Amino acid sequence: MARIPYADTAHPDHVEAAGAIRASRKKIGHLHRMLLHAPPIAAGWIGMFDAIRWKSTLPGRLRELVICRIAAINGASYEWEAHAPIALAEGATQAQLDALKDWQASDAFDATDRAALAYCDAMTKQVHVPDDVAHAVREIFPPRQLVELTATIAGYNCVSRVLEALEINGADVLPPDA
């Protein structure tokens, strides 16, 4: 059970942000119901993550592999459960998802995947990216995609931290959506 109750979408302070979430996501799930307690943050969150998810030029498969790697590192099961099916739909294989916890020992990933996953690991575990890891992604990704990859990793680390700090659980029963 989450650490605080999920927000009421019908509360007058939440209606506008709830509308923005519905317009983007069609439904208001657990994470967004929690974020509604802070309507400006909920609305800004949707704008940022819509850009990361749907306005980025990164291949969807790579984006979702990185998101799932973050979920694996951070022990964020809600994030994993939400993004593993998306990763498969975007072209990742079940073998790749199964290998993400120890991706370095797996031959399921190509050179681009490996560079992105190493960058993800460095950003997630160390914050400061070693020069050799930064050089490897810089050699593969043009500046726009490198910024998109960086924002994706940073953003989804934020998602993990919000989910885990507030103990948001996809099995929690949500109040009816107004």
Side-chain angles (χ1 to χ4, degrees), residues 79-102:
E79 190 171 36
W80 179 274
E81 291 165 12
H83 286 275
I86 300 169
L88 293 170
E90 290 283 357
T93 66
Q94 187 61 53
Q96 288 173 322
L97 290 177
D98 293 344
L100 271 178
K101 287 188 179 177
D102 188 22

Side-chain angles (χ1 to χ4, degrees), residues 3 12 24 31-32 35 41-42 45-46 48 57 65 72 77 92 102-103 111 131 134 136-137 141 164-165 172 175 177:
R3 289 202 160 130
S24 170
L31 172 61
H32 299 111
L35 292 172
I41 290 173
W45 188 282
I46 286 298
M48 178 177 156
T57 62
L65 283 174
S77 59
D102 188 22
W103 66 266
D131 288 341
V137 290
F141 297 100
E164 296 309 307
D172 289 345
D177 187 17

Side-chain angles (χ1 to χ4, degrees), residues 27-82:
K27 66 176 188 154
I28 304 177
H30 295 81
L31 172 61
H32 299 111
R33 285 291 285 266
M34 190 61 72
L35 292 172
L36 277 176
H37 283 295
I41 290 173
W45 188 282
I46 286 298
M48 178 177 156
F49 285 96
D50 280 2
I52 287 172
R53 295 268 311 278
W54 296 304
K55 296 176 183 175
S56 170
T57 62
L58 278 179
R61 184 188 72 78
L62 185 62
R63 178 194 69 233
E64 296 301 325
L65 283 174
V66 166
I67 294 168
C68 287
R69 177 63 182 155
I70 293 162
I73 292 168
N74 292 335
S77 59
Y78 180 100
E79 190 171 36
W80 179 274
E81 291 165 12

Side-chain angles (χ1 to χ4, degrees), residues 119-142:
Y119 191 61
C120 176
D121 282 11
M123 284 185 64
T124 302
K125 294 177 179 181
Q126 300 161 226
V127 180
H128 300 279
V129 178
D131 288 341
D132 62 323
V133 174
H135 178 75
V137 290
R138 214 173 38 244
E139 290 294 312
I140 294 170
F141 297 100

